[in-house]
Amino acid sequence: MDMDLLIAPIIIFMALVAPIWLILHYRSKRQVSQGLTEEEFTQLNDLITKADKMHHRIETLEAILDAESPEWRTKHERV
């Protein structure tokens, strides 16, 4: 009697839910293994360029501060 109650949900799961689950699972795995899209790669390169420019600007600002106020780093550390 108890087995009859379990058979219907198991059949429904195996016929409907399991195939959809497997399709979605392997589709997402394939997308992850493909790597970055062209748009994502372009965005990443843009971010790298912006980070390099920001790094250069920070170095320039630090050099200006070092020349104008050599003790600015120690003042900043105390705060």
Side-chain angles (χ1 to χ4, degrees):
M1 192 74 155
D2 291 332
M3 283 302 268
D4 294 338
L5 293 175
L6 289 177
I7 291 176
I10 290 173
I11 291 173
I12 292 171
F13 178 82
M14 295 299 288
L16 298 175
V17 177
I20 294 171
W21 186 2
L22 287 173
I23 289 169
L24 293 175
H25 172 72
Y26 284 108
R27 182 184 297 170
S28 68
K29 277 198 170 281
R30 184 182 48 177
Q31 288 175 347
V32 168
S33 69
Q34 287 177 347
L36 298 176
T37 65
E38 188 66 33
E39 181 181 346
E40 292 170 334
F41 186 73
T42 303
Q43 288 176 345
L44 182 61
N45 282 332
D46 289 343
L47 288 173
I48 290 170
T49 302
K50 288 178 182 180
D52 287 341
K53 286 180 183 178
M54 184 174 284
H55 179 71
H56 180 69
R57 289 177 180 171
I58 290 170
E59 285 180 341
T60 303
L61 288 171
E62 287 180 344
I64 291 169
L65 283 171
D66 286 338
E68 291 184 2
S69 178
E71 298 163 4
W72 73 272
R73 291 180 195 261
T74 57
K75 289 179 186 176
H76 178 67
E77 290 173 2
R78 289 185 212 151
V79 175

